[in-house]
Amino acid sequence: MWHPCDIPATSMWHPCDIPATSVSVPTAAPTPSPRRARPVSQNPVPGVERGPLSSGGWGQLCPPVLSGDCPQGSQAEAEAMEKELLEDYRFGRQQLIEIWGHACAVAVTKAFPLRSLRRRQPTLLVACGPAQNGAVGLVCARHLRSFDYEPTIFYPKRSPDPLHRDFTTQCEKMDIPFLSYLPTEVQLINDAYNAVVDAVLGAEGTQGTEGTEPCAAILATLRHVRIPIVSLDVPSGWLPGPVGGSGDISPDVLVSLAAPKEVARRFRGRRHFLAGRFVPEELRRKFGLSPPEYPGSDCVVAL
């Protein structure tokens, strides 16, 4: 049986070397601290707060698959919130990526507990892109390793960002293997792993995958895998709008970072988690966020 470690590290294959159409498709089927009172919403829709940035943002109604007040927002609003976290609240970029990566790993453990895995070995494939979502994936893989999972990373286009290089080194020092290429025969992936963590594009890919090689080739493969996919923040390749494309990947699990994004309305998978407990209360009020209560000391909450 094929195993990711069987791939020679010296192989020079790169996803860009093949077109996306060359993918083979198998024929077989503690008491919580009190919170300050929120201001009363002026929104005419009872129980839903509207954010101050736009009428189409995080203040809108949630889709039926979600429960409680969990408004979604546009990518511009997500960027505005991250900017305030970095500049006004003095979070560091490394700190945010570390918080998100840890929370994503926790969400994976909740969606796929070790004892529930179909394979004897707790193997996971973590596919990382070159931007921030990929860095979150690297941190997620490191924490999964410390949680006794066996992640393997596919990171074909490594970022020159020193912070990303540090995250890569940390994974290497923890003996997490890196694939030199991604098998285009999807059955090999189905047989080797329990699930795939999609950290390819995330919210950075909401303008499409054109010109984003090797990400487009990765997504062409992920469209056909039969094992569960866990997408971080935004399923890679999903474009804004009420209707998705016929070629979209179909994740079983979605982990929204800080707040659900607009495209989360279309998510119809098995589990949706929110990783936003760290967001300061004042910032939640400013952006009209009313997430469910986080259980105990958990850093994620199921929506």
Side-chain angles (χ1 to χ4, degrees):
M1 181 177 293
W2 177 88
H3 189 273
C5 295
D6 295 335
I7 297 175
T10 57
S11 173
M12 298 302 294
W13 180 89
H14 192 275
C16 296
D17 295 336
I18 63 169
T21 56
S22 64
V23 177
S24 300
V25 183
T27 57
T31 303
S33 57
R35 297 187 176 187
R36 285 170 289 182
R38 303 181 190 273
V40 177
S41 172
Q42 301 302 313
N43 194 311
V45 182
V48 179
E49 297 179 0
R50 184 171 296 283
L53 293 184
S54 75
S55 62
W58 288 339
Q60 292 182 330
L61 283 170
C62 303
V65 294
L66 304 181
S67 60
D69 292 340
C70 46
Q72 285 99 36
S74 68
Q75 178 61 15
E77 291 170 321
E79 292 172 356
M81 173 182 278
E82 184 172 334
K83 186 172 184 290
E84 289 208 29
L85 286 168
L86 292 170
E87 296 181 0
D88 297 345
Y89 288 86
R90 310 307 297 171
F91 280 80
R93 194 161 65 94
Q94 179 176 3
Q95 182 183 13
L96 284 180
I97 295 174
E98 185 70 32
I99 290 172
W100 284 330
H102 172 262
C104 289
V106 171
V108 171
T109 68
K110 291 181 177 295
F112 304 102
L114 284 169
R115 294 184 179 180
S116 73
L117 298 178
R118 64 184 183 89
R119 294 179 54 82
R120 184 173 58 85
Q121 293 179 303
T123 53
L124 300 169
L125 176 61
V126 184
C128 299
Q132 179 167 289
N133 199 251
V136 175
L138 293 171
V139 176
C140 176
R142 171 164 51 83
H143 284 290
L144 285 170
R145 184 68 186 91
S146 68
F147 295 155
D148 295 327
Y149 291 78
E150 297 181 10
T152 295
I153 298 173
F154 181 56
Y155 186 30
K157 188 176 181 180
R158 301 194 179 194
S159 170
D161 189 315
L163 183 57
H164 293 223
R165 293 203 302 265
D166 290 346
F167 289 140
T168 303
T169 300
Q170 291 164 11
C171 291
E172 293 171 339
K173 293 292 186 181
M174 293 188 69
D175 295 325
I176 299 176
F178 284 72
L179 289 183
S180 56
Y181 69 92
L182 186 67
T184 56
E185 177 55 63
V186 294
Q187 191 57 43
L188 298 176
I189 299 174
N190 295 334
D191 292 341
Y193 303 103
N194 292 280
V196 179
V197 176
D198 159 34
V200 181
L201 289 174
E204 297 114 352
T206 54
Q207 301 305 314
T209 58
E210 183 177 355
T212 58
E213 291 292 355
C215 299
I218 300 174
L219 295 184
T221 300
L222 295 187
R223 290 186 189 108
H224 300 294
V225 298
R226 298 181 181 276
I227 57 176
I229 297 176
V230 182
S231 287
L232 308 189
D233 202 24
V234 170
S236 293
W238 281 26
L239 299 178
V243 180
S246 59
D248 283 350
I249 64 173
S250 301
D252 289 70
V253 180
L254 176 63
V255 187
S256 293
L257 307 182
K261 309 308 183 291
E262 186 178 10
V263 296
R265 298 175 181 280
R266 305 205 311 262
F267 176 69
R268 293 296 183 268
R270 185 167 60 90
R271 304 290 297 275
H272 185 184
F273 295 95
L274 174 61
R277 187 166 194 161
F278 72 96
V279 177
E281 187 70 22
E282 291 292 336
L283 202 57
R284 293 184 187 179
R285 287 205 294 269
K286 178 175 181 177
F287 284 86
L289 302 177
S290 301
E293 292 288 334
Y294 286 80
S297 58
D298 285 1
C299 58
V300 296
V301 61
L303 299 178

